[in-house]
Amino acid sequence: MSEQIVRVGRDLLAERREAAERFRQARAAEGTLVVHLLSSPGAGKTTLLQATLRYLHGTARTGVLVGDLETDRDARRLAPLAPTAQLTTGGACHLELPLIERGLAQLNSEPFEILFIEDVGNLVCPASHDLGEHLRVVLLSTTEGDDKPAKYPKAFRTSQALVLSKTDLLPHVPFSVEAAAADARQVQPDLVVFPLCALTGEGVAAWCAYLLARRQELLAGRGSR
Amino acid sequence: MHEYSLVQALLEQVEALRRERRLGPATAIRVGIGALAGVEPELFRLAYEAACDGLPPAAALELTAIPLEAACRQCGHAFAVERFRFVCPACASPQVEVSRGDALILDSVTFAPGEEP
């Protein structure tokens, strides 16, 4: 017998993607819209979630899974607003599906209408991992520079919506909403863009209306990534 | 640095192939890294070396770059995507579909012979 070459030609993440697809379909069957938020550290994911959960209070049953390297600070900020599970990655730079499944089981709740997943602050690694979400949203804050989409193409290419956060700082920073949106649409032409300020509430209503509309689409059996 | 997690997926799949076919240890592993795979080749190699440290002689890891290619949904033109600008160079439509280069592909694995029955 001699050496044997086995040809595979398969995506290394194919099995994980199939598992994510099963999770996505199971949540859809329960009527849960899964929203995955990603951004660099400090873009305002947790603050956006605080504003979103407050706005949706009484309108939609929400739950949150929040990833962090070490602390539970983000979870403590969100827990008063909605059932929240902390997913501590112990230094890993991104979330993966098994952590999501464990976190959801930990919440031990009847199905949510909208389940938010806040990924670890990082625009690189989370972009390559399907968490079984129906909607991927990338945040870009006005303090980061409007040239990020071209620098981190995968995060923007794989998202369906772009939140431009901290618009209250626009008078003070060299950031153009138009330039950032145009740059992002070069990478992903179908991006829906939401300029907003979670602290003042500006733009939050339009963003929440979008989420509710996406959930209605999901219920009608049309929503998928 | 999620390359370590990807290396774990790689090693699991190589091991599954080996068991399935009752072969000997892997001697060479060929992996294609798409330009939009979100994987840094040097980090992937370092993660592989770290994962194999202390194990039986590790298989040689061969990495090749897969360029990013797309096809236009409007005019059908196939083209190489430059600098992540997803716009058709023929008709300027932004409605393009990535056809190659967005994944991490396990191309092939070479195994030593298995034990004689």
Side-chain angles (χ1 to χ4, degrees):
Chain A
M1 286 238 289
S2 58
E3 284 199 331
Q4 190 177 335
I5 298 179
V6 178
R7 308 222 170 267
V8 186
R10 189 159 183 251
D11 184 346
L12 257 179
L13 293 178
E15 275 174 38
R16 294 184 186 190
R17 205 161 288 141
E18 285 157 17
E21 189 56 42
R22 286 193 294 275
F23 180 86
R24 188 161 27 249
Q25 286 176 12
R27 298 292 79 71
E30 293 176 347
T32 303
L33 177 76
V34 182
V35 181
H36 179 190
L37 297 177
L38 54 114
S39 79
S40 46
K45 290 183 296 299
T46 310
T47 307
L48 172 68
L49 276 178
Q50 285 178 304
T52 305
L53 297 175
R54 276 194 203 104
Y55 191 91
L56 292 176
H57 184 76
T59 306
R61 274 175 42 75
T62 53
V64 185
L65 302 176
V66 49
D68 218 332
L69 298 183
E70 290 296 345
T71 74
D72 64 350
R73 286 181 193 174
D74 289 351
R76 276 189 282 160
R77 284 168 63 189
L78 297 167
L81 302 168
T84 300
Q86 169 72 38
L87 313 173
T88 306
T89 63
C93 52
H94 64 283
L95 293 174
E96 292 193 20
L97 185 63
L99 281 170
I100 302 304
E101 288 172 323
R102 208 178 307 155
L104 189 57
Q106 200 181 314
L107 286 178
N108 192 25
S109 162
E110 58 180 287
F112 297 107
E113 289 167 355
I114 305 180
L115 176 68
F116 293 98
I117 302 171
E118 176 182 336
D119 214 317
V120 176
N122 175 351
L123 269 181
V124 185
C125 310
S128 294
H129 296 271
D130 187 345
L131 300 182
E133 69 266 33
H134 301 101
L135 186 61
R136 182 176 287 192
V137 181
V138 59
L139 270 79
L140 176 61
S141 69
T142 57
T143 54
E144 290 178 74
D146 49 27
D147 59 347
K148 270 227 167 114
K151 291 182 179 173
Y152 299 90
K154 188 158 196 178
F156 290 84
R157 179 71 191 171
T158 58
S159 292
Q160 292 83 49
L162 166 63
V163 168
L164 295 173
S165 61
K166 309 189 189 180
T167 52
D168 54 330
L169 299 179
L170 278 172
H172 312 289
V173 291
F175 185 98
S176 158
V177 167
E178 291 71 29
D183 211 32
R185 285 193 175 120
Q186 291 255 318
V187 178
Q188 155 63 297
D190 300 325
L191 270 179
V192 187
V193 181
F194 297 95
L196 61 78
C197 174
L199 290 181
T200 64
E202 182 195 6
V204 171
W207 153 247
C208 290
Y210 170 74
L211 293 176
L212 293 170
R214 289 302 306 250
R215 178 163 185 273
Q216 286 309 315
E217 280 176 30
L218 183 82
L219 294 182
R222 286 176 282 127
S224 72
R225 281 183 59 203
Chain B
M1 174 72 182
H2 65 143
E3 281 75 6
Y4 194 83
S5 156
L6 301 175
V7 162
Q8 292 302 329
L10 170 68
L11 294 175
E12 280 162 24
Q13 284 177 39
V14 169
E15 178 58 16
L17 284 174
R18 191 190 67 76
R19 281 179 192 220
E20 217 170 82
R21 293 158 194 252
R22 300 166 186 275
L23 295 166
T27 56
I29 301 174
R30 285 163 216 89
V31 172
I33 300 182
L36 193 66
V39 177
E40 168 53 43
E42 277 310 305
L43 292 180
F44 190 79
R45 183 176 292 285
L46 282 174
Y48 177 76
E49 285 165 7
C52 296
D53 194 25
L55 295 174
L61 181 66
E62 293 171 26
L63 302 178
T64 49
I66 306 174
L68 189 52
E69 292 169 14
C72 178
R73 283 192 211 130
Q74 302 295 325
C75 74
H77 181 66
F79 61 98
V81 178
E82 306 285 347
R83 290 177 295 114
F84 303 107
R85 289 297 185 241
F86 294 87
V87 176
C88 175
C91 73
S93 166
Q95 299 298 332
V96 304
E97 195 137 13
V98 172
S99 52
R100 189 167 176 252
D102 61 349
L104 184 63
I105 306 284
L106 174 56
D107 287 326
S108 68
V109 186
T110 306
F111 291 97
E115 283 174 28
E116 300 293 337

